[in-house]
Amino acid sequence: MRQDITNTDYSPGCCMSFADERELAEVRMIEEGLRSAYDGDTEGVIKAFSSLRDFAVYLVHLDITAEHELDAKALIIAMGDIGREAAQKRMEEASISSVSSLGEVAVEAVYEERESLALKALSVLGSLALEFGGKGMDAAAKSAAESLANVGKASSKKKMEVLTGLSEVYLMQLSMKAMEEKLSVTWNISLNLLGEIGVLSAEKAMENNAVGAAILFETLGTAAASKKDELRVKDVIQAIGKTGRAFSQKGSKNALVQAVWALETLRVLALEYLMESAGAEGKKELELLSTAGILDEEQNLEKIQEIKEFHRRIVGRT
């Protein structure tokens, strides 16, 4: 939810310039957050993040200047540093506060069309999400997935393809971590949210992002199959089927054909690894989809290769 805090009072004192007062306030908030994290003070960290989030959103609303841009990015990076320290101390509630705050800053930057700031907040958020997942912090990782999805959905509504695509990739990577660490809550919600972003992208005629969601599902399913994790393979197949049916309803032909492609790939892999139940699930989901009116195979292959290259570039940067 966006907050109207553009009138927050950061008025300078009698003997200080506005810029000096603002910089001092920022330093104090960061120091307080780090001190609380080092001391294991969950309440203090949560309070610090509330102030840091409000200040960061305030900076998002200022006129676009190099100074304001640098200040906002520095603040976002500091929020990430505090979040990482909270994760090191296994402070789950404080860690949840970190990704929730970063997500709100990123969403606000999206709506204000401050793409550079949104990208910075999203990259820090994504990095924290993967760290929480790697540490087995299921509740914090789940919250991170929700924040990533909020950014992805906001970006889709504003038709910002790069931000939407990056949100999808981070959700896929977080799902991978959840699979490795057996974080069932994070796994389930990440799959669902990835599909929701894909469907919203289809609704907004953002074909690349809709197709991208289906490609990322295929990547997840392939990874699960290689681990011979039949339950996870079935989860992905069901998620692809649900998303594919929504693509069909939205008239997203390229995304629909990629969903069919992914289902057939996973069905064959399941049978290859002697996962009869997953193979049967794949066959059932395929029968529920219709591919009437899709682009010819050559056109579709070309588009899919372009999107896969886009994913490789994003993953290379993260």
Side-chain angles (χ1 to χ4, degrees), residues 11 19 21-22 35 37 69 87 90 100 129 159 168 207 261 263 283 287 312 314:
S11 302
E21 180 75 8
R22 191 180 69 227
R35 186 182 305 111
E69 193 87 359
R90 297 291 197 177
S100 176
K159 295 195 172 185
E168 291 176 329
E207 193 77 2
W261 186 330
L263 282 173
K283 181 180 178 182
E287 290 171 350
R312 279 193 289 269
I314 288 180

Side-chain angles (χ1 to χ4, degrees), residues 234-292:
K234 287 180 69 174
D235 286 342
V236 176
I237 286 173
Q238 289 168 354
I240 296 172
K242 177 183 177 182
T243 306
R245 289 190 291 278
F247 288 157
S248 181
Q249 292 171 358
K250 302 295 182 184
S252 185
K253 296 176 181 178
N254 290 334
L256 174 58
V257 79
Q258 174 56 31
V260 171
W261 186 330
L263 282 173
E264 178 61 14
T265 298
L266 297 184
R267 186 190 71 81
V268 171
L269 276 175
L271 295 177
E272 183 179 327
Y273 286 107
L274 303 179
M275 301 176 185
E276 293 183 6
S277 179
E281 191 71 26
K283 181 180 178 182
K284 184 185 79 173
E285 292 292 352
L286 279 166
E287 290 171 350
L288 292 173
L289 292 182
S290 169
T291 57

Side-chain angles (χ1 to χ4, degrees), residues 14-318:
C14 62
C15 302
M16 298 183 69
S17 70
F18 181 85
D20 288 341
E21 180 75 8
R22 191 180 69 227
E23 183 177 348
L24 180 60
E26 180 180 347
V27 169
R28 284 173 175 169
M29 284 186 279
I30 293 170
E31 287 179 345
E32 184 59 36
L34 287 169
R35 186 182 305 111
S36 296
Y38 290 141
D39 293 342
D41 178 4
T42 294
E43 185 176 344
V45 174
I46 292 173
K47 182 179 178 182
F49 268 117
S50 178
S51 298
L52 290 166
R53 175 204 61 209
D54 289 355
F55 197 23
V57 172
Y58 166 77
L59 292 173
V60 166
H61 284 268
L62 291 182
D63 293 338
I64 301 176
T65 66
E67 180 184 359
H68 294 161
E69 193 87 359
L70 286 173
D71 283 349
K73 287 182 178 179
L75 188 54
I76 288 166
I77 291 169
M79 291 170 74
D81 291 340
I82 298 169
R84 274 184 286 277
E85 183 59 31
Q88 289 293 331
K89 292 285 185 9
R90 297 291 197 177
M91 301 163 68
E92 196 118 31
E93 289 185 20
S95 298
I96 289 171
S97 179
S98 70
V99 289
S100 176
S101 298
L102 281 163
E104 289 180 35
V105 173
V107 167
E108 195 70 24
V110 168
Y111 282 120
E112 291 299 309
E113 299 184 355
R114 301 289 298 275
E115 188 167 10
S116 175
L117 294 183
L119 279 168
K120 175 57 69 175
L122 179 56
S123 65
V124 174
L125 168 60
S127 177
L128 280 179
L130 299 179
E131 184 157 350
F132 297 163
K135 291 183 181 299
M137 300 170 68
D138 205 1
K142 169 186 174 289
S143 182
E146 292 169 339
S147 291
L148 287 168
N150 287 340
V151 181
K153 291 175 183 178
S155 301
S156 186
K157 289 174 183 176
K158 297 291 284 187
K159 295 195 172 185
M160 294 180 170
E161 287 194 356
V162 172
L163 282 164
T164 305
L166 184 55
S167 299
E168 291 176 329
V169 170
Y170 274 128
L171 276 171
M172 182 276 289
Q173 292 179 321
L174 182 56
S175 297
M176 287 283 197
K177 287 288 185 184
M179 179 165 53
E180 293 167 4
E181 300 295 328
K182 303 188 186 312
L183 307 179
S184 58
V185 175
T186 301
W187 167 262
N188 289 329
I189 198 165
S190 295
L191 278 185
N192 185 57
L193 292 171
L194 176 56
E196 288 182 9
I197 296 174
V199 172
L200 182 57
S201 295
E203 185 178 306
K204 295 296 181 181
M206 295 171 64
E207 193 77 2
N208 285 356
N209 296 111
V211 174
I215 292 173
L216 293 170
F217 273 138
E218 182 184 335
T219 301
L220 276 173
T222 301
S226 70
K227 296 176 184 294
K228 297 184 179 179
D229 188 339
E230 185 167 17
L231 179 60
R232 298 288 185 265
V233 175
K234 287 180 69 174
D235 286 342
V236 176
I237 286 173
Q238 289 168 354
I240 296 172
K242 177 183 177 182
T243 306
R245 289 190 291 278
F247 288 157
S248 181
Q249 292 171 358
K250 302 295 182 184
S252 185
K253 296 176 181 178
N254 290 334
L256 174 58
V257 79
Q258 174 56 31
V260 171
W261 186 330
L263 282 173
E264 178 61 14
T265 298
L266 297 184
R267 186 190 71 81
V268 171
L269 276 175
L271 295 177
E272 183 179 327
Y273 286 107
L274 303 179
M275 301 176 185
E276 293 183 6
S277 179
E281 191 71 26
K283 181 180 178 182
K284 184 185 79 173
E285 292 292 352
L286 279 166
E287 290 171 350
L288 292 173
L289 292 182
S290 169
T291 57
I294 62 175
L295 290 176
D296 68 65
E297 185 176 351
E298 184 177 345
Q299 287 175 300
N300 192 64
L301 276 169
E302 184 177 346
K303 180 171 286 292
I304 287 170
Q305 290 306 316
E306 288 176 0
I307 295 167
K308 284 185 175 180
E309 178 58 32
F310 171 70
H311 287 161
R312 279 193 289 269
R313 291 199 301 270
I314 288 180
V315 172
R317 292 203 298 268
T318 60

